[in-house]
Amino acid sequence: MPLSHGRPYLAIPGPSVIPDRVLQAMHRPAPEIHGGAMVQLLESLLPDLRAVARTRHKVAMYISNGHGAWEAGLANVLARGDKILALATGRFGHGWAEVAQGLGADVEVMDFGKRAPVDLDRVAARLAEDRAHEIRAVTVVHVDTATSVKNDIAGLRAALDAAGHPALLMVDCIASLGCDRFEMDDWGVDVMVSACQKGLMVPPGLGFVFFNDRAEAARARADMATQYWDWRMRADPQEFYQYFWGTAPTHHLYGLRAALDMLVQEEGMQAAWARHERLARTVWAAIDAWGADGPMEANIADPACRSHAVTAVQLGAPNGTALREWLSETAGVTLGIGLGMAAPGDPAWHGFFRIAHMGHVNAHMVLGALGSIEAGLDALDIPHGRGALGAAAAVVAGR
Ligand SMILES: *Cc1c(COP(=O)(O)O)cnc(C)c1O
């Protein structure tokens, strides 16, 4: 019996749940874009974006999704033929590497598989080998949304420093920004790319590239960026239209203002990180209990290496797809598909799902999703351990 009428819950890892305040802020007539309130609005966003990224450095904004931010970040620091070391811990690490290849970089992919973080020792050994410092940049995904692994960014900076290696450290925080603790300046990140539709709670359409002085220096010899993607004008505009090199994404900016009010001005970054951490542990407690007697397991075994924004789960085929379909049809909850875990034509593709707990998500939403999953496991006769909901509630209760 369908029990899905009511407010649907899209628990896929992006786009995330959009707060009503963000939607309401966007629901208004178009503004004048050559002066006045729009200019002030945009300028008010910049300090708050820096606060989210934990940086005092510059940001360039684009009307783009995450793929656009990927391209912009690379194109402004690399010259054609430059060598980069692309660290991959899931589909998104490979995706960024493919963008670099398409731009004309010489890309060396170091693959750590789908169930583990970057191995810092292997990276250190590769950097030590590169005595001529041919590697211009190391790219890494902070949280790979496909595997839900979280990589140790401070550890990568330490490995670069220990090797005395000048390569730029470039980090994709598209899934993690606003959810998992990230410290751009303290962790020595040179370029950080993100987008607005995940932890920032705004509909897809804004890409961000944050960059420090070292990255700015690399811009001088970079030759991949066409005028549209050049970050110089966007980060240091002389005229308002240069922020977006054309018409500003007016309504996205209203939405972003509301989202940053909620995240930075009202909740605060420390509290937002703590909320995500607690809600992630709530999800993991349920998965552990279900997995005690059945096929379910978290894709990443070590909780210290798991994202607080999304959890990838293995359930065996065809259970993953069956559970997702049951949940959306019967309970009004949509879980994420497994991404890059098996090829689309492969029957094994149906063995995965992901639960997003990023952005505008609270305890009752997570407990509701978990309760619906428990019902789905029962309804579909998928073997599972008992006590998951009690275990999840205990984490929410702080027990
Ligand atoms: C979502 C995501 C992307 C891609 O963003 P799009 O907006 O879909 O282009 C890249 N990297 C990570 C880590 C992501 O989560």
Side-chain angles (χ1 to χ4, degrees), residues 313-335:
V313 184
Q314 306 231 0
L315 192 57
N319 296 337
T321 297
L323 182 67
R324 277 193 306 101
E325 286 176 353
W326 189 92
L327 278 169
S328 61
E329 281 161 20
T330 313
V333 179
T334 303
L335 300 176

Side-chain angles (χ1 to χ4, degrees), residues 47 55 59 69 77 83 105 114 134 167 253-254 265 280 367 374 384:
T55 185
V59 58
V77 295
K83 185 170 190 67
K114 295 171 186 164
E134 283 174 358
L253 299 179
Y254 290 125
Q265 302 297 337
L367 290 173
E374 168 108 0
H384 58 282

Side-chain angles (χ1 to χ4, degrees), residues 135-338:
I135 298 168
R136 292 269 178 187
V138 174
T139 62
V140 66
V141 179
H142 183 210
V143 162
D144 199 302
T145 325
T147 58
S148 72
V149 76
K150 177 163 62 190
N151 286 305
D152 177 0
I153 305 302
L156 272 172
R157 166 47 64 199
L160 282 158
D161 289 351
H165 201 295
L168 295 174
L169 178 56
M170 304 182 67
V171 182
D172 168 347
C173 288
I174 296 170
S176 57
L177 198 66
C179 308
D180 282 277
R181 180 171 169 234
F182 174 79
E183 304 276 359
M184 176 161 168
D185 292 354
D186 283 359
W187 293 353
V189 173
D190 298 303
V191 177
M192 186 272 273
V193 301
S194 198
C196 67
Q197 78 272 24
K198 294 181 182 173
L200 296 185
M201 311 178 286
V202 174
L206 286 175
F208 306 103
V209 182
F210 298 85
F211 56 97
N212 69 9
D213 306 340
R214 295 185 69 228
E216 206 169 349
R219 181 67 190 81
R221 59 174 289 287
D223 69 4
M224 290 176 175
T226 55
Q227 193 167 32
Y228 186 80
W229 295 103
D230 193 335
W231 71 25
R232 288 177 291 202
M233 192 172 47
R234 290 168 184 265
D236 287 307
Q238 304 303 306
E239 310 248 12
F240 181 74
Y241 80 95
Q242 294 175 330
Y243 276 114
F244 288 95
W245 192 225
T247 306
T250 48
H251 289 68
H252 273 71
L253 299 179
Y254 290 125
L256 184 61
R257 182 63 270 160
L260 292 173
D261 283 346
M262 294 168 72
L263 180 63
V264 180
Q265 302 297 337
E266 294 164 23
E267 185 175 18
M269 296 312 298
Q270 306 286 345
W273 293 336
R275 170 170 56 89
H276 281 86
E277 193 243 0
R278 180 73 74 90
L279 295 178
R281 287 198 291 108
T282 302
V283 171
W284 304 342
I287 293 171
D288 286 349
W290 285 321
D293 188 13
M296 190 184 294
E297 59 176 315
N299 186 54
I300 300 297
D302 180 357
C305 303
R306 291 182 194 155
S307 162
H308 295 164
V310 55
T311 299
V313 184
Q314 306 231 0
L315 192 57
N319 296 337
T321 297
L323 182 67
R324 277 193 306 101
E325 286 176 353
W326 189 92
L327 278 169
S328 61
E329 281 161 20
T330 313
V333 179
T334 303
L335 300 176
I337 60 170

Side-chain angles (χ1 to χ4, degrees), residues 17-155:
V17 174
I18 305 171
D20 288 347
R21 271 172 72 182
V22 170
L23 291 171
Q24 283 155 7
M26 298 177 78
H27 193 111
R28 66 171 85 192
E32 154 70 334
I33 54 164
H34 294 292
M38 197 77 235
V39 177
Q40 279 157 15
L41 170 74
L42 198 149
E43 285 169 0
S44 82
L45 298 171
L46 299 173
D48 286 345
L49 284 171
R50 287 195 192 93
V52 176
R54 313 282 282 182
T55 185
R56 58 189 170 80
H57 294 292
K58 291 184 178 169
V59 58
M61 298 176 285
Y62 298 86
I63 297 182
S64 81
N65 57 17
H67 281 64
W70 268 349
E71 179 153 337
L74 294 164
N76 280 283
V77 295
L78 298 178
R80 283 188 180 70
D82 276 359
K83 185 170 190 67
I84 73 162
L85 184 62
L87 310 179
T89 51
R91 185 60 222 137
F92 290 94
H94 288 288
W96 202 8
E98 286 155 16
V99 169
Q101 220 141 26
L103 285 166
D106 171 10
V107 181
E108 178 178 328
V109 176
M110 203 178 243
D111 191 352
F112 301 90
K114 295 171 186 164
R115 305 197 66 175
V118 165
D119 177 345
L120 295 175
D121 292 338
R122 266 179 71 194
V123 177
R126 181 65 189 91
L127 292 172
E129 256 170 45
D130 183 33
R131 285 189 199 86
H133 295 164
E134 283 174 358
I135 298 168
R136 292 269 178 187
V138 174
T139 62
V140 66
V141 179
H142 183 210
V143 162
D144 199 302
T145 325
T147 58
S148 72
V149 76
K150 177 163 62 190
N151 286 305
D152 177 0
I153 305 302

